[in-house]
Amino acid sequence: MKVYVPRDAAARALGADEVAAAVLREAKARGLDVTLVRNGSRGMVWLEPLVEVETGGKRTGFGPVTAADVAGVLDGTSKKALGPVEELPFFKGQTRLTFARVGLIDPLSLAEYQAHGGLEGLRKALGLTGEAVVKEVTDSGLRGRGGAGFPTGIKWETVRKAPGPQKYVVCNADEGDSGTFADRMLMEGDPFCLIEGMAISGIAVEASKGYIYIRSEYPDAIEVMSAACDIARKEGVLGASVLGSGKAFDMEVRVGAGAYVCGEETSLLNSLEGKRGIVRAKPPLPALQGLFGKPTVVNNVISIASVPVVMAKGAAFYKDFGLGRSRGTIPLQIAGNVKYGGLYETAFGLTLGEIVEKIGGGTHSGRPVKAVQVGGPLGAYLPVAQFDTPFGYEEFDAKGALIGHAGLVVFDDSADMRKMARFAMEFCAIESCGKCTPCRIGAVRGVETIDRIGRGDVVAIPLLTDLCETMKDGSLCALGGFTPFPVMSALRHFPEDFTANAKEAAE
Amino acid sequence: MTAAPGTDDAIARRTDEIISGLIGLEGPLLLIFHALQAEYGHVPAAALPRIAERLNISRAEVHGVMSFYHDFRSHPAAAHVVKLCRAEACQSLGADQLAERAQEKLGTGFHGTSADGKVTLEAVYCLGLCACGPAAMVDGKVVGRVDEARLDQILKEVRA
């Protein structure tokens, strides 16, 4: 029999390594012939470690499994049996395109990757001109999943048309936003998908070299991606002649060093060059003058990992999912104080309320939901009153919010929104690269101003609003420019949390 | 004559070897810092002038890059490092109370070392474990759903 125990960091954080050791130990004690596979996570984090046992071609899930449960799992007597994972409501409701293989296959088996549709997109791309590949990506409607939502195909076309003997493809895997873990799960669960996407991009824009910049906080992702690159190189997926096509593309994994701002693309490029992760003014666009001043595609992990399925199944197939100008699927990351937390890939268009209440099952604490922060530390806090907002780029923009990298952090009614606003400013002050004044100084003044308000000095509220306007309009990048989103949304939707002390003082 | 390990000469020599292995790569400075820190537990001051010379950049630039990134240490950490996530998703599940408890128990603030010298406490902003918070990293190993009891157990283990 085959036993799957995830090697995903979330599963490991909940004891998957101990479970895997117990599987080997108990199998030996029973004289069972067990093949242990360390797969990716199926994304249902509340069930991790989620163990699957495969006999006669059928997989049955068990979870959450502890080492003590393993004997029962192998004997078929465990009360933690879940049935086939695909039939669980949380899984069944999803449309898994980008994450189709995550949790299903051995992440480092290129044979299994290909048996589940892997490399089809790359093979197709190798038979097309760069222009045709870029057109397919453009037609799919795929937009940057890192947060900015810029059309991926248009970015690629700019790089493709830019002249120059050396161009680069850079994958931004500096997933620093709280509430997001899709990049991590993809890299740990299906690394070849990202490599395939990188290769397609490189071939389309005629870039022979790629880099994946992974944050140092993700040691598991670094390990799996590095191993996958070695395998891909050995098997001819990467190298001087990609799949024997005569076209060259190779790539390297690079590791960040704990600077949040390096998730900003120009700061990331500086970091890759071995410099301080300071933001660059735009223009020039990285597409024209990026890494080492050369034309460079900079895309998020999920954007690049969505390209293989676009190429394999066609732009029309992908574009068919979604709403408005938000096409395709989006891997929602449901996190924080939530009952059923995890990764849920679906077409754009579900309302925020459906995601939080129906899929996420409300709060973990059982208390009422107070707010949901969408899009990481630079995303707005949305109150329950806005739960009818459909999940899409423009739809969130209209509410003064953003979907960012599609992470949702749920807070119950014990959250103090003035404290959360203060944290947003404090975080910006800690992580500011220091290049522009509104961010470097504004964030520090922001913390002080919110503290003044906290002491009951409500006169400081218009000052905070004014400061946020300055940071929004005057900052070079999204760190200073978007920190006002969480601050102002907290102030707008939860003014009582800001004026609580003022009332007491007046009484 | 070989210099004794740990002396400035020995560090400079080892730095040279590390640089020689990496200098062929594009933008090698962060790779060099990571390699030095993996070996010494920090980036020794004696390594910086060698890096500046070999990469043909100023010592100020080398210092500027090293000090920009939170990860690179100028001094070694304690034998054990406990990182607690302080970002929003973990805050929604009580990370702030855990942070206070850890500081109190260890008798140190963040980025400090406990009085017994055994544990360095650090803040981290997101480990990507946002659906099973509060999260921590103990000597490089990730831990999810850290409550008070789990924290106490972690601290007991690393101080044993």
Side-chain angles (χ1 to χ4, degrees):
Chain A
M1 73 168 79
K2 241 185 191 178
V3 179
Y4 295 84
V5 181
R7 64 140 303 142
D8 178 277
R12 295 181 84 175
L14 298 170
D17 289 349
E18 290 75 13
V19 170
V23 167
L24 294 176
R25 197 169 57 234
E26 294 291 333
K28 200 176 170 196
R30 285 166 172 69
L32 285 171
D33 182 20
V34 162
T35 310
L36 177 69
V37 179
R38 300 302 302 269
N39 57 337
S41 168
R42 295 282 205 150
M44 289 168 282
V45 178
W46 79 97
L47 291 176
E48 293 290 359
L50 192 158
V51 174
E52 285 177 89
V53 176
E54 183 181 311
T55 43
K58 272 191 185 163
R59 282 163 79 151
T60 307
F62 298 85
V65 173
T66 64
D69 294 326
V70 169
V73 168
L74 294 179
D75 294 341
T77 58
S78 174
K79 290 195 177 74
K80 301 256 176 98
L82 303 164
V85 170
E86 284 86 356
E87 294 304 316
L88 295 171
F90 189 95
F91 201 89
K92 210 175 177 180
Q94 299 188 45
T95 304
R96 287 211 162 194
L97 303 182
T98 309
F99 281 77
R101 282 173 298 259
V102 175
L104 194 63
I105 63 167
D106 178 345
L108 291 176
S109 165
L110 192 60
E112 280 189 35
Y113 180 68
Q114 293 190 75
H116 288 85
L119 299 184
E120 271 175 33
L122 178 57
R123 289 209 168 87
K124 204 160 161 191
L126 286 167
L128 298 171
T129 61
E131 192 179 0
V133 174
V134 174
K135 186 174 183 306
E136 199 74 15
V137 174
T138 307
D139 290 349
S140 75
L142 178 65
R143 292 166 72 176
R145 297 286 188 252
F150 189 81
T152 305
I154 292 177
K155 193 184 273 184
W156 287 22
E157 184 64 2
T158 310
V159 179
R160 192 186 73 79
K161 281 187 170 162
Q166 180 67 66
K167 301 180 195 176
Y168 294 99
V169 177
V170 170
C171 175
N172 182 347
D174 195 26
E175 185 181 50
D177 289 352
S178 176
T180 64
F181 44 83
D183 296 354
R184 180 184 65 65
M185 271 185 61
L186 192 284
M187 290 189 284
E188 290 170 6
D190 194 12
F192 292 122
C193 180
L194 184 56
I195 292 173
E196 183 181 354
M198 295 274 290
I200 294 171
S201 177
I203 280 154
V205 305
E206 289 173 15
S208 58
K209 178 88 193 185
Y211 289 98
I212 305 181
Y213 185 93
I214 309 179
R215 60 201 299 260
S216 62
E217 292 86 344
Y218 282 1
D220 291 282
I222 293 164
E223 192 186 320
V224 177
M225 274 318 308
S226 304
C229 283
D230 289 345
I231 295 168
R233 203 168 295 121
K234 221 171 275 167
E235 301 290 331
V237 179
L238 295 173
S241 176
V242 171
L243 295 176
S245 64
K247 292 174 182 170
F249 183 76
D250 209 337
M251 57 193 270
E252 257 177 59
V253 171
R254 288 289 175 95
V255 180
Y260 174 78
V261 75
C262 289
E264 196 282 333
E265 61 176 359
T266 60
S267 161
L268 186 152
L269 293 173
N270 276 337
S271 186
L272 267 179
E273 292 183 10
K275 299 175 181 161
R276 287 180 288 157
I278 301 250
V279 173
R280 299 177 185 171
K282 288 191 278 192
L285 294 172
L288 298 172
Q289 289 177 43
L291 188 61
F292 301 108
K294 304 288 192 293
T296 305
V297 168
V298 187
N299 274 147
N300 168 256
V301 171
I302 303 302
S303 316
I304 295 179
S306 297
V307 169
V309 68
V310 167
M311 291 310 299
K313 301 208 170 169
F317 169 82
Y318 191 80
K319 195 180 184 156
D320 216 27
F321 299 95
L323 97 156
R325 287 175 51 215
S326 307
R327 309 313 309 172
T329 59
I330 180 89
L332 302 168
Q333 299 127 82
I334 309 171
N337 193 335
V338 69
K339 195 169 176 192
Y340 304 125
L343 182 130
Y344 193 98
E345 184 177 353
T346 183
F348 285 95
L350 289 179
T351 66
L352 182 58
E354 283 174 313
I355 296 165
V356 173
E357 302 284 4
K358 223 171 102 191
I359 299 168
T363 62
H364 174 77
S365 62
R367 302 173 66 101
V369 175
K370 179 164 183 173
V372 182
Q373 187 178 30
V374 184
L378 307 175
Y381 287 98
L382 287 93
V384 177
Q386 291 186 333
F387 268 19
D388 59 346
T389 313
F391 209 85
Y393 294 101
E394 281 70 30
E395 290 74 10
F396 265 61
D397 188 47
K399 297 279 169 83
L402 49 121
I403 66 171
H405 192 43
L408 300 100
V409 177
V410 180
F411 290 81
D412 73 13
D413 63 352
S414 66
D416 175 349
M417 301 312 292
R418 186 184 58 81
K419 206 178 118 199
M420 298 318 297
R422 185 190 191 278
F423 176 76
M425 284 291 190
E426 190 189 7
F427 183 71
C428 181
I430 294 170
E431 297 297 339
S432 174
C433 82
K435 179 152 177 167
C436 69
T437 316
C439 173
R440 183 184 68 245
I441 295 177
V444 178
R445 294 288 99 89
V447 173
E448 294 165 359
T449 310
I450 294 172
D451 282 344
R452 260 180 75 182
I453 298 167
R455 288 193 298 268
D457 186 0
V458 288
V459 181
I461 289 180
L463 271 180
L464 180 64
T465 308
D466 192 50
L467 175 66
C468 281
E469 283 300 318
T470 305
M471 287 177 71
K472 205 171 156 187
D473 296 336
S475 298
L476 263 180
C477 84
L479 180 51
F482 285 13
T483 292
F485 275 102
V487 176
M488 288 309 297
S489 59
L491 180 62
R492 197 177 317 123
H493 301 303
F494 307 96
E496 64 282 4
D497 285 7
F498 287 77
T499 52
N501 293 337
K503 277 177 200 153
E504 279 165 31
E507 274 162 13
Chain B
M1 204 176 85
T2 41
T7 62
D8 284 1
D9 278 355
I11 290 169
R13 202 159 302 164
R14 180 67 192 124
T15 304
D16 261 338
E17 289 170 15
I18 287 172
I19 295 172
S20 297
L22 297 168
I23 203 161
L25 299 170
E26 294 178 311
L29 186 49
L30 262 68
L31 295 167
I32 294 167
F33 285 145
H34 275 305
L36 284 165
Q37 185 146 307
E39 187 150 330
Y40 293 102
H42 69 295
V43 180
L48 303 185
R50 288 304 299 147
I51 298 173
E53 197 171 311
R54 293 285 303 274
L55 266 54
N56 196 24
I57 52 180
S58 72
R59 284 162 75 161
E61 179 70 14
V62 176
H63 173 78
V65 174
M66 190 199 138
S67 55
F68 180 86
Y69 295 96
H70 301 304
D71 279 4
F72 300 130
R73 305 173 193 282
S74 52
H75 298 283
H80 299 285
V81 178
V82 174
K83 295 185 182 187
L84 289 182
C85 179
R86 308 208 62 194
E88 290 89 342
C90 288
Q91 284 185 42
S92 78
L93 289 163
D96 283 352
Q97 290 88 313
L98 282 179
E100 263 170 47
R101 191 179 179 89
Q103 293 182 77
E104 199 175 294
K105 292 227 158 194
L106 292 174
T108 176
F110 280 96
H111 307 290
T113 295
S114 59
D116 60 11
K118 285 183 177 166
V119 195
T120 297
L121 180 67
E122 291 192 339
V124 62
Y125 294 94
C126 199
L127 294 164
L129 305 172
C130 319
C132 55
M137 191 182 256
V138 183
D139 295 334
K141 192 175 178 296
V142 284
V143 190
R145 295 213 183 96
V146 182
D147 54 15
E148 287 189 356
R150 189 85 187 84
L151 176 72
D152 291 354
Q153 192 195 335
I154 289 168
L155 297 181
K156 203 176 141 196
E157 280 168 18
V158 291
R159 299 176 92 177

